[in-house]
Amino acid sequence: MKRLVLDTVKKAIRKRKTRGILLHSDRGFQYTSRAYHILLRRHSIQASMSRKGNCLDNGCMESFFGHLKCESLRLRKSISDVFGVSGQALLDSLINGEVLEPQQVEQMIKTSLKRKVPQLIDVLNGRIRIHHHKLKEKHLKHLAYLEKEIKVLESDIS
């Protein structure tokens, strides 16, 4: 299992700009291993973990994806980076209650996801109720707040 985590991080390093990012995980043995931390340091990636004995640190993200799953919204199966530019545009339209047509989705997507438009239409036009919109809106606002705070911390540190 540890090898899988290391290989996944290496793949991300090859495919994306990872220098200086914050990589959050739980406290599983694979994320506390010496090899994992050496790999992150070597590529200037900041490790972030839940506090020991406090599983609620991941609560916001787990809750967010839990809401998506409970309504048959399998975005993570269709979009690998749900918080990238394309994913954010799709989530915003979902939260705003828009029923999306294939042409609208194609305009929002900036990547090779264009070939998955039929799947995305099924996912995005799932059964969303008002309380789900409110919860997702709160989660996304919290994520935006956390991103802002991380940038402030990064500028204070540099």
Side-chain angles (χ1 to χ4, degrees), residues 66-131:
H67 290 297
L68 289 176
K69 284 179 186 176
C70 83
E71 289 302 318
S72 301
L73 295 173
R74 307 285 187 238
L75 277 180
R76 286 200 296 187
K77 288 183 179 176
S78 302
I79 303 174
S80 60
D81 185 6
V82 105
F83 295 107
V85 174
S86 298
Q88 281 287 267
L90 293 169
L91 284 171
D92 288 344
S93 65
L94 178 69
I95 288 164
N96 293 331
E98 299 171 29
V99 175
L100 296 170
E101 298 297 325
Q103 303 86 338
Q104 292 170 291
V105 173
E106 284 180 16
Q107 289 173 353
M108 289 180 196
I109 295 173
K110 307 290 183 211
T111 63
S112 61
L113 282 172
K114 289 187 188 282
R115 59 183 158 70
K116 292 186 177 182
V117 168
Q119 289 171 276
L120 291 169
I121 293 294
D122 290 342
V123 167
L124 292 165
N125 292 333
R127 300 176 314 271
I128 299 292
R129 293 175 183 83
I130 291 172
H131 69 279

Side-chain angles (χ1 to χ4, degrees), residues 15-29:
K15 287 186 159 200
R16 296 179 178 255
K17 295 177 185 175
T18 56
R19 189 174 272 320
I21 67 165
L22 183 70
L23 184 57
H24 188 75
S25 67
D26 60 19
R27 296 189 66 82
F29 75 94

Side-chain angles (χ1 to χ4, degrees), residues 23-28 31 36 48-50 58:
L23 184 57
H24 188 75
S25 67
D26 60 19
R27 296 189 66 82
Y31 305 108
Y36 178 76
S48 167
M49 293 185 183
S50 304
N58 280 335

